[in-house]
Amino acid sequence: MEAARLLLARMGISPADLVGAGRPTAPTFAEYIPVVREAVSDGSRKAYNTYWNRVLEHWSQRRIDEVRASDIERLAEHVKANRVQRRNARGGHGSAENLIAALRCLYRLAVADGLLSEGENPALKVSKPRRMPSTRRAVPDTRLAEINAAAARTSEDPDLDSLLLRLHTETACRRGGALALRPMDLDPTQCLIRLQEKGDMVRWQPVSPTLMRHLLLHAEQRQSPPDGQLLRYRNSRPITHRRYDTLWGRIGEALPWVATQQISTHWLRHTTLTWVERNFGYAIARGYAGHTDRGSDVGSTATYVKATIEELAAAVAALTGEPHPLV
């Protein structure tokens, strides 16, 4: 060690000069966050963009290798304390969790780019807040009927809104899956639709002949291109997530209990999957939901008891009271 220090001293090099030698200087957050935004998927960008903006507000000119785990903890507490107050707020746990997830995404790319080593990743040294149980639950049949009636009664486009609710209630798909649906994803012969949902997962979901007929009619009347978005307004403009916001806003005005409980499209997913699980079992419900084998709470048995497409079609037939061609 003494010989090494003597050699470095004669060369005019300090030990500190050797730290990080051979790799580029780490960028600032202001320089690197735009790079991350361009690299991630649309879904990740939408989920994390708000929290990257919070990082820029506090650490814009700091280099990404200057932040420590304690800095992230402090920023998470600041975001938690200064969150937007909403009716369904739960103490800011979600805000802190999303900030840490956004930073983990950023630092994961930084490690892949060779700007940091895995051991220098400060976001991995910060634990996410424990996720609280969801308050969503299945909606009773009578309440579900009220929701459908209110949606049609208060809408300037009842055909569109009724189709949206039928699609989500029957298939338990997520909003992203409905918005990504294209006419070319419809298989009228077998009454199947191809859903593209989060995590780039693609699956075929059985639907009733009635729903298939109305999806085809909607695509024809609203001039949806075969490879373009299926769900559209009367002027053929594709709908966005904003349509869901206005839909539930109107339903909430007509049915105050909907607004009070913050009921949304995802409650329909809970409703359908609860019914499927009660009547057809856990394996069929997992297949109906499009869940994969990933996840620490899934045992290895799930690999061997996957639901078949015919079993999912049987569940759809029982749910809707209509025969299905695959059953």
Side-chain angles (χ1 to χ4, degrees), residues 46 174-177 179-180 229 233 238-248 265:
K46 180 180 178 182
R174 301 174 178 88
R175 291 196 308 179
L179 292 175
Q229 185 175 324
Y233 294 105
I239 69 169
T240 65
H241 286 87
R242 187 177 296 275
R243 183 65 188 185
Y244 289 93
D245 297 335
T246 57
L247 169 61
W248 288 105
T265 306

Side-chain angles (χ1 to χ4, degrees), residues 76-253:
E77 287 301 317
H78 176 81
V79 169
K80 183 177 176 181
N82 294 274
R83 69 193 183 279
V84 176
Q85 296 291 339
R86 294 188 174 89
R87 181 180 296 177
N88 60 347
R90 309 183 71 188
H93 287 76
S95 298
E97 179 184 357
N98 290 335
L99 173 74
I100 296 171
L103 285 170
R104 286 185 178 182
C105 176
L106 182 148
Y107 278 106
R108 184 171 62 250
L109 286 177
V111 171
D113 285 343
L115 301 173
L116 298 170
S117 67
E118 190 71 35
E120 294 172 313
N121 183 344
L124 291 180
K125 301 174 184 178
V126 180
S127 299
K128 285 185 179 181
R130 185 177 180 181
R131 182 167 294 184
M132 302 178 71
S134 174
T135 59
R136 299 186 185 107
R137 62 182 185 279
V139 179
D141 290 349
T142 53
R143 294 297 193 187
L144 188 60
E146 291 180 45
I147 288 173
N148 279 274
R153 184 176 65 252
T154 62
S155 177
E156 85 290 354
D157 191 348
D159 290 341
L160 172 61
D161 290 337
S162 296
L163 181 62
L164 276 177
L165 293 178
R166 175 69 182 250
L167 174 63
H168 286 282
T169 304
E170 188 171 313
T171 68
C173 69
R174 301 174 178 88
R175 291 196 308 179
L179 292 175
L181 192 62
R182 304 164 298 178
M184 63 187 296
D185 294 325
L186 306 182
D187 180 352
T189 303
Q190 300 185 88
C191 281
L192 297 172
I193 64 174
R194 180 167 51 194
L195 292 173
Q196 304 174 62
E197 296 185 306
K198 69 177 185 179
D200 297 324
M201 191 188 71
V202 178
R203 63 188 176 96
W204 286 98
Q205 174 71 23
V207 298
S208 67
T210 294
L211 178 56
M212 177 60 70
R213 183 169 64 254
H214 283 279
L215 288 172
L216 292 170
L217 182 63
H218 181 92
E220 178 185 354
Q221 292 180 339
R222 312 223 168 173
Q223 300 177 348
S224 306
D227 59 347
Q229 185 175 324
L230 187 149
L231 296 169
R232 294 173 179 261
Y233 294 105
R234 287 196 180 100
N235 62 5
S236 297
R237 182 168 54 89
I239 69 169
T240 65
H241 286 87
R242 187 177 296 275
R243 183 65 188 185
Y244 289 93
D245 297 335
T246 57
L247 169 61
W248 288 105
R250 284 188 285 100
I251 296 174
E253 290 178 0

Side-chain angles (χ1 to χ4, degrees), residues 54-72:
R54 298 292 176 270
V55 172
L56 289 174
E57 289 174 7
H58 291 81
W59 300 338
S60 178
Q61 298 307 313
R62 292 184 68 174
R63 296 202 316 268
I64 63 174
D65 60 351
E66 293 178 332
V67 169
R68 298 171 298 178
S70 58
D71 296 323
I72 296 177

Side-chain angles (χ1 to χ4, degrees), residues 227-287:
D227 59 347
Q229 185 175 324
L230 187 149
L231 296 169
R232 294 173 179 261
Y233 294 105
R234 287 196 180 100
N235 62 5
S236 297
R237 182 168 54 89
I239 69 169
T240 65
H241 286 87
R242 187 177 296 275
R243 183 65 188 185
Y244 289 93
D245 297 335
T246 57
L247 169 61
W248 288 105
R250 284 188 285 100
I251 296 174
E253 290 178 0
L255 304 173
W257 57 269
V258 169
T260 300
Q261 298 183 48
Q262 297 289 291
I263 292 177
S264 63
T265 306
H266 210 70
W267 286 60
L268 303 182
R269 179 172 167 84
H270 279 257
T271 302
T272 302
L273 294 179
T274 298
W275 184 90
V276 173
E277 190 276 332
R278 299 293 191 272
N279 290 275
F280 289 87
Y282 179 72
I284 309 300
R286 286 191 74 246

